Amino acid sequence: MNKKKLLNILGKKDLLEINTKNSLVRNLSNENLIETDLIELISNLVNHNIWQLIKEITWEAEIKAWDLYIVGGVVRDLFLVNKNKKILTQDIDLVVDGNNSPLNIGAGIEIAQTIKQRHPEAKLVVHYDFKTASLSWNEDKRYGSIQIDIATSRTEIYPYPAANPKVQLASIKQDLSRRDFTINALAIKLTSPERGKLLDLFMGLLDLKKAQIKVLHPNSFIEDPTRIYRAVRFAIRLNFNIEANTIQYIYDATKNEIYDKINSEISILPSLTIRLKNELRSILGTNCWRASLELLSYFGALNYLHPKLTLNNKVLWQMRYAVRFIKYVNPHYKIVQWLLILEILLSSIPQKERNFVATNLQLPSESIKRLLEIQNINKKINQRLSSYCKVSDKVKLLNKFNNVELILVAAQSKKEIRSLIWQYFTRFSKISSPLSGHDLKKMGYLPGPKYKKVLSILLDKTLDREIKTRKEAEVIVQQIMARRLD
Ligand code: ATP
């Protein structure tokens, strides 16, 4: 691994959500960890109402003499955030160890169903195959938007590399052993006895202190290549290093022959591509998208999407341009930012193979359609836009396409076309006719189909700067109407 290049890439990140320097983990030694009441710590850092919900779930587990743990991101972030800041999570992961309960449906599902009865406003989704259930609240008065996943502790067996894992009930220890990184394999016990105890089987706390991403075993990335995307996502987001052996395991996975096998058999592994898409959504929807993509490309991991995918300076420039554009055009740009970046990335795949890749990723249908049509749209706009002299003709042409199509064309065109599309968004599309239908009525003309025609002529003339004042517009209306009356 070229460390200089890696550091360089990591150095380019533009957002650090968590500042590890002031975090709790810096000040915790193993001795004072034992004295720290972790339950009090979580209850202070998580929103009060959400904590009440977690307590309700804990109570249900205690009644059944099952063990309940809080795991994953919340536990990790608990040690990373500054003591005075709340954890702003929308995703809480709980695991129930049913202690060999004979239940078929899984202890996690059983608890989630009981909670749903008490909270009918919550949405319950059950995954029987995985013995998990999730309860979610959307813009709720008390809880805001939150999802609580309640899983039954389990192991996952991968019948062959990158396959959909088979699930077996297991103890919490086995459950933690199937996780991606040491820092994500921490659990805190919520039920008694040993309430508040930290389970750290893989020295995750030490890796949090060292600020490093480390896998639990050498085959981790071969089992599930999504973990490469996750390693990059966490490294960039948390400003962590990827541990040296873990980097080697990434290379082993991307160079291993399984890599070619996945590409040739991608159609029989839809679940892998969907998991990759979900990671891409998380990566490309943040301000860290660029550094993460560069690191993924550096590791050769973009090739899990397609072997011919390239991330060169030209493509990166187009992405940056499109992101700037969308921030201006769409205030809720985060909703589509990830898709826009992904579409630009996928544009480097030969046209005839794009449909296959986009369909495998299960992208939204409008996105797949755009990927297939964008080359033609681009050609049409580029050919016609520079040949039109009148602004009104240019506007009429651009009105035929939606904002995302125009942004993609702008990002992939030469300067002249780009600035015309920019002017369209910033100026021309905001210009309206100086008179309204109401004004025409006041001028004494009876409402009818000709109103639309007259207003459209007025708009064209305004765009072409043939009309500058209201008075001039009224004269034009009189001329058109007189002609019509003849
Ligand atoms: P965040 O939600 O902040 O991105 P998170 O760690 O909560 O971080 P999730 O994707 O919600 O991320 O996953 C929850 C937990 O599930 C992780 O902490 C990890 O323990 C486990 N996990 C998720 N994906 C994988 C995977 N591909 N392989 C192994 N374990 C995983």
Side-chain angles (χ1 to χ4, degrees):
M1 172 72 196
N2 179 343
K3 270 199 176 158
K4 205 168 152 208
K5 170 108 190 191
L6 177 63
L7 287 175
N8 207 3
I9 292 170
L10 290 173
K12 279 185 198 157
K13 75 187 81 39
D14 42 10
L15 178 86
L16 299 182
E17 289 177 2
I18 292 169
N19 181 357
T20 48
K21 286 203 187 83
N22 300 323
S23 69
L24 186 71
V25 75
R26 291 267 163 231
N27 309 317
L28 273 186
S29 65
N30 283 351
E31 295 86 68
N32 63 24
L33 177 66
I34 293 163
E35 283 159 29
T36 307
D37 183 344
L38 291 179
I39 296 290
E40 193 191 322
L41 197 71
I42 313 179
S43 60
N44 286 335
L45 288 178
V46 171
N47 166 298
H48 173 76
N49 289 337
I50 294 171
W51 180 245
Q52 292 309 312
L53 249 166
I54 295 175
K55 269 170 63 179
E56 254 186 70
I57 299 170
T58 307
W59 178 237
E60 282 309 319
E62 282 196 328
I63 291 174
K64 302 218 156 60
W66 292 337
D67 296 328
L68 182 74
Y69 300 83
I70 184 161
V71 293
V74 174
V75 183
R76 180 194 65 225
D77 294 348
L78 186 73
F79 293 111
L80 288 179
V81 289
N82 195 313
K83 245 186 184 172
N84 308 318
K85 281 196 179 155
K86 289 262 178 219
I87 297 182
L88 297 172
T89 185
Q90 294 194 314
D91 201 352
I92 300 217
D93 293 298
L94 303 175
V95 173
V96 196
D97 185 343
N99 299 324
N100 298 322
S101 143
L103 270 182
N104 272 338
I105 58 165
I109 297 177
E110 162 105 359
I111 291 188
Q113 285 172 338
T114 313
I115 298 291
K116 162 76 183 169
Q117 278 169 10
R118 235 178 287 139
H119 292 270
E121 77 286 1
K123 184 176 166 209
L124 172 70
V125 177
V126 176
H127 304 282
Y128 290 99
D129 288 352
F130 287 88
K131 314 262 183 228
T132 66
S134 70
L135 287 161
S136 57
W137 284 261
N138 190 16
E139 294 180 13
D140 184 83
K141 278 203 295 291
R142 272 175 302 171
Y143 310 121
S145 296
I146 176 107
Q147 177 164 325
I148 302 188
D149 291 330
I150 311 180
T152 314
S153 54
R154 63 183 198 262
T155 51
E156 287 178 351
I157 296 154
Y158 290 81
Y160 53 93
N164 236 354
K166 298 257 178 292
V167 165
Q168 267 174 16
L169 290 183
S171 68
I172 181 71
K173 288 190 177 166
Q174 287 165 298
D175 186 287
L176 294 176
S177 313
R178 72 171 170 86
R179 292 182 181 259
D180 47 4
F181 310 116
T182 58
I183 60 165
N184 285 346
L186 295 163
I188 295 173
K189 192 154 185 255
L190 296 175
T191 43
S192 300
E194 298 188 315
R195 184 168 174 268
K197 184 182 168 187
L198 178 74
L199 250 83
D200 180 11
L201 308 178
F202 304 96
M203 300 212 278
L205 211 53
L206 187 67
D207 286 334
L208 278 179
K209 264 189 210 174
K210 288 186 182 168
Q212 71 173 6
I213 309 290
K214 186 176 168 189
V215 275
L216 308 192
H217 59 87
N219 278 337
S220 188
F221 297 119
I222 292 177
E223 262 182 14
D224 181 4
T226 323
R227 292 175 188 156
I228 302 175
Y229 283 55
R230 292 176 64 80
V232 166
R233 175 155 79 85
F234 289 119
I236 299 290
R237 190 174 102 192
L238 305 175
N239 193 20
F240 275 26
N241 289 316
I242 303 179
E243 181 251 354
N245 285 330
T246 302
I247 289 178
Q248 189 52 50
Y249 302 147
I250 294 180
Y251 282 142
D252 293 346
T254 55
K255 294 210 173 93
N256 196 298
E257 58 200 31
I258 180 61
Y259 170 67
D260 296 325
K261 194 161 175 271
I262 288 166
N263 285 325
S264 62
E265 294 179 12
I266 209 150
S267 56
I268 58 157
L269 291 170
S271 64
L272 171 66
T273 44
I274 293 164
R275 280 184 280 144
L276 288 175
K277 184 203 44 198
N278 290 338
E279 286 303 323
L280 280 168
R281 186 194 285 124
S282 302
I283 289 170
L284 303 180
T286 69
N287 288 350
C288 306
W289 63 267
R290 186 181 171 175
S292 308
L293 269 185
E294 284 183 298
L295 197 49
L296 282 172
S297 168
Y298 188 79
F299 284 139
L302 291 179
N303 295 17
Y304 283 107
L305 304 174
H306 190 278
K308 292 195 192 114
L309 216 99
T310 46
L311 184 77
N312 52 31
N313 283 342
K314 190 173 151 207
V315 172
L316 276 170
W317 188 91
Q318 291 176 356
M319 291 171 174
R320 264 188 27 227
Y321 188 83
V323 168
R324 244 185 284 150
F325 228 121
I326 196 132
K327 278 185 191 172
Y328 178 83
V329 173
N330 177 0
H332 306 295
Y333 70 97
K334 293 248 159 166
I335 300 168
V336 285
Q337 174 178 306
W338 75 274
L339 257 185
L340 202 68
I341 298 175
L342 187 57
E343 285 178 31
I344 293 175
L345 185 67
L346 298 182
S347 301
S348 65
I349 298 175
Q351 171 92 7
K352 56 182 187 320
E353 291 167 54
R354 272 184 225 166
N355 190 15
F356 176 71
V357 176
T359 311
N360 264 323
L361 284 171
Q362 294 196 1
L363 296 188
S365 56
E366 74 271 11
S367 180
I368 298 181
K369 191 164 164 257
R370 250 193 322 266
L371 272 165
L372 300 182
E373 289 175 356
I374 201 67
Q375 233 161 323
N376 281 340
I377 297 177
N378 203 325
K379 215 160 134 195
K380 211 182 269 176
I381 292 182
N382 271 270
Q383 272 171 359
R384 297 201 193 153
L385 206 54
S386 34
S387 71
Y388 289 150
C389 296
K390 288 185 168 182
V391 173
S392 58
D393 288 333
K394 294 177 185 180
V395 169
K396 268 186 225 147
L397 172 70
L398 297 180
N399 276 345
K400 291 185 186 146
F401 305 98
N402 66 42
N403 288 356
V404 182
E405 288 165 344
L406 292 180
I407 292 171
L408 282 173
V409 170
Q412 294 170 342
S413 298
K414 51 185 194 297
K415 199 170 168 207
E416 183 203 348
I417 301 294
R418 249 189 353 256
S419 63
L420 278 172
I421 296 180
W422 179 249
Q423 283 179 352
Y424 168 80
F425 278 124
T426 53
R427 279 177 46 208
F428 302 143
S429 63
K430 296 192 165 112
I431 293 175
S432 54
S433 160
L435 299 178
S436 64
H438 193 65
D439 295 322
L440 298 187
K441 206 169 159 190
K442 275 209 283 194
M443 287 172 74
Y445 300 110
L446 285 179
K450 62 187 171 199
Y451 265 37
K452 197 173 164 211
K453 182 107 185 129
V454 172
L455 293 176
S456 151
I457 294 172
L458 287 180
L459 176 61
D460 287 355
K461 287 188 179 291
T462 311
L463 285 167
D464 298 333
R465 301 186 65 77
E466 290 170 21
I467 297 175
K468 293 191 189 80
T469 63
R470 221 179 135 83
K471 199 94 216 116
E472 286 171 352
E474 284 171 1
V475 173
I476 296 285
V477 173
Q478 282 156 4
Q479 284 171 358
I480 300 170
M481 292 301 193
R483 244 186 284 140
R484 286 285 159 98
L485 292 175
D486 288 345

